[in-house]
């Protein structure tokens, strides 16, 4: 009687090259993401340098209590969630719109140049973006106030105006990330069967009708998958953006402080490793729950589009 082949081992033999190509990325993920998870125990310990991570005494949930009693838990959680929801909503709409516009352009050379120009900001460091914003809005010599002074108007102190920063951060996030998302949606649009558009042309469909009844339904799986992946990071603020663009300005922390910046600032000033680890675990735990809830809802509505 012939023994039954194990599916994984059979696939490993059949696709040796693909598994070898995947191996470096898997090693990096294991080294950078999974092995450091052992440090989660710090959230339940009072860390000291002498005993180290695993030798420090256990304190239970005291670090979590410290985080919530500090008065910053609700503020940073609110800011993190609201900013990420705004980024997700605005960036997704702009990315889909730009991808559809690029797909409708006739000139290949112009399309490639436009796509490259839109993609370029993604590679610009947040340090450079922060310097650009500072020189743009600086009260004394910023470009905006220089223009206002030249027009005989009073300068605006943006760095002490809390109401201005949500708008600035949303615009900066779009500037940095829209190009990257546009490329992914554009790749999805390019893979749509061209015969569908030809049939629509024969039926006399307008450009807007083709976008509504062909393009958007065909890229819906991509939209759902990217949405689910974004939900997983909704509790994780873009640390570099909030830290570099705002310059860690204490005047506007009420509207710009997110969990990541609060944890970093607490670690640098208080050296509270346990509390910062507790805040990070709290952040990751809620993100995990949100992914499960979002995936469950998608699975109920469109089972084929769910991650698992």
């Amino acid at each position: 009687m012939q023994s039954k082949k194990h599916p994984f081992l059979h696939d490993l033999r059949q696709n040796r090259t693909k598994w070898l190509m995947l191996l470096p990325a898997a090693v990096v993920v294991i080294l950078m993401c999974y092995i450091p998870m052992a440090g989660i125990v710090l959230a339940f310990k009072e860390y000291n340098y002498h005993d180290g991570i695993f030798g420090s005494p256990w304190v239970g949930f005291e670090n979590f209590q410290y985080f919530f009693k500090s008065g910053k838990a609700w503020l940073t959680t609110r800011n993190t969630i609201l900013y990420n929801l705004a980024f997700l909503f605005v960036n997704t709409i702009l990315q889909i719109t730009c991808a559809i516009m690029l797909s409708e352009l006739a000139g290949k050379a112009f399309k490639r140049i436009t796509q490259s120009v839109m993609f370029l900001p993604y590679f610009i460091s947040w340090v450079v973006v922060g310097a650009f914003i500072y020189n743009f809005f600086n009260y004394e010599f910023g470009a905006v106030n220089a223009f206002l002074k030249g027009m005989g108007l009073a300068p605006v102190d943006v760095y002490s105006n809390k109401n201005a920063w949500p708008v600035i951060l949303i615009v900066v996030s779009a500037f940095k990330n829209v190009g990257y998302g546009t490329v992914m949606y554009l790749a999805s649009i390019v893979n749509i069967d061209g015969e569908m558009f030809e049939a629509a042309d024969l039926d006399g469909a307008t450009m807007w009708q083709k976008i509504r009844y062909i393009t958007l339904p065909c890229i819906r799986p991509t939209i759902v998958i990217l949405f689910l992946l974004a939900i997983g990071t909704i509790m994780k603020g873009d640390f570099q953006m909030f830290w570099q663009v705002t310059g860690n300005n204490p005047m506007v922390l009420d509207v710009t402080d997110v969990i990541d910046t609060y944890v970093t600032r607490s670690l640098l000033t208080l050296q509270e490793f346990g509390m910062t680890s507790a805040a990070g675990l709290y952040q990751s735990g809620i993100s995990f729950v949100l992914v499960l809830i979002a995936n469950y809802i998608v699975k109920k509505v469109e089972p084929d589009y769910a991650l698992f």
Side-chain angles (χ1 to χ4, degrees):
M1 183 176 179
Q2 188 177 4
S3 60
K4 188 177 179 181
K5 294 182 178 179
H6 193 281
F8 175 74
L9 295 177
H10 177 71
D11 184 72
L12 188 61
R13 284 192 294 269
Q14 292 294 321
N15 301 288
R16 293 188 297 271
T17 304
K18 294 180 180 178
W19 281 102
L20 285 173
M21 293 173 63
L22 179 64
L23 183 60
V27 171
V28 171
V29 171
I30 291 172
L31 291 176
M32 304 300 293
C33 298
Y34 285 95
I35 293 179
M37 286 179 67
I40 288 176
V41 297
L42 279 177
F44 307 95
K45 291 192 169 191
E46 184 179 355
Y47 177 78
N48 62 76
Y49 292 100
H50 180 267
D51 296 322
I53 295 176
F54 300 104
S56 298
W58 294 91
V59 293
F61 291 95
E62 288 185 10
N63 290 320
F64 292 90
Q65 294 176 0
Y66 180 81
F67 173 62
F68 285 103
K69 289 180 180 179
S70 67
K72 290 290 186 178
W74 162 245
L75 176 68
T76 54
T77 301
R78 181 201 66 185
N79 289 344
T80 304
I81 293 176
L82 291 181
Y83 273 119
N84 281 317
L85 286 175
F87 296 156
L88 176 61
F89 179 75
V90 173
N91 291 354
T92 300
I93 291 178
L94 291 177
Q95 288 164 1
I96 295 173
T97 303
C98 292
I100 293 174
M101 291 175 61
L102 284 175
S103 67
E104 296 294 332
L105 292 176
K108 291 185 178 180
F110 180 73
K111 182 188 296 187
R112 290 175 181 174
I113 294 173
T114 305
Q115 183 177 336
S116 300
V117 171
M118 292 179 61
F119 196 55
L120 181 62
Y122 182 76
F123 296 101
I124 299 176
S125 169
W126 278 117
V127 177
V128 176
V129 176
F132 174 79
I133 295 297
Y134 180 75
N135 285 278
F136 199 70
F137 292 113
N138 183 271
Y139 183 78
E140 297 179 357
F141 53 80
V144 171
N145 285 325
F147 174 77
L148 292 175
K149 291 176 182 177
M151 297 293 293
L153 301 175
V156 179
D157 189 3
V158 175
Y159 280 89
S160 62
N161 185 359
K162 296 180 181 180
N163 296 326
W165 282 100
V167 178
I168 293 172
L169 290 171
I170 291 172
V171 172
V172 170
S173 174
F175 163 77
K176 193 84 160 53
N177 298 309
V178 164
Y180 178 80
T182 297
V183 172
M184 290 191 286
Y185 285 114
L186 185 60
S188 181
I189 293 173
V190 170
N191 288 325
I192 299 175
D193 189 355
E195 294 182 357
M196 299 174 66
F197 292 103
E198 293 175 2
D201 289 331
L202 292 175
D203 291 338
T206 64
M207 180 185 68
W208 298 110
Q209 289 174 328
K210 288 187 289 185
I211 292 173
R212 179 180 178 183
Y213 296 106
I214 298 176
T215 304
L216 290 177
C218 287
I219 67 173
R220 187 167 59 177
T222 304
I223 297 174
V224 173
I225 291 173
L226 292 179
F227 171 78
L228 288 174
L229 294 175
I231 287 294
T233 60
I234 205 166
M235 281 292 292
K236 182 176 177 60
D238 192 332
F239 169 75
Q240 289 290 335
M241 179 181 68
F242 286 98
W243 191 268
Q244 299 293 345
V245 173
T246 65
N248 197 27
N249 181 8
M251 299 289 291
V252 294
L253 280 180
D254 287 347
V255 295
T256 61
D257 201 18
V258 294
I259 296 176
D260 298 80
T261 55
Y262 173 71
V263 167
T264 302
R265 194 169 53 255
S266 298
L267 186 61
L268 292 175
T269 57
L270 302 177
Q271 297 290 306
E272 287 288 346
F273 294 96
M275 188 275 290
T276 54
S277 298
L281 182 58
Y282 157 77
Q283 185 181 23
S284 300
I286 293 182
S287 297
F288 178 69
V289 172
L290 288 174
V291 170
L292 292 179
I293 293 173
N295 187 76
Y296 176 79
I297 295 172
V298 172
K299 196 171 185 178
K300 288 294 183 181
V301 179
E302 293 286 352
D304 295 335
Y305 299 160
L307 289 176
F308 49 85

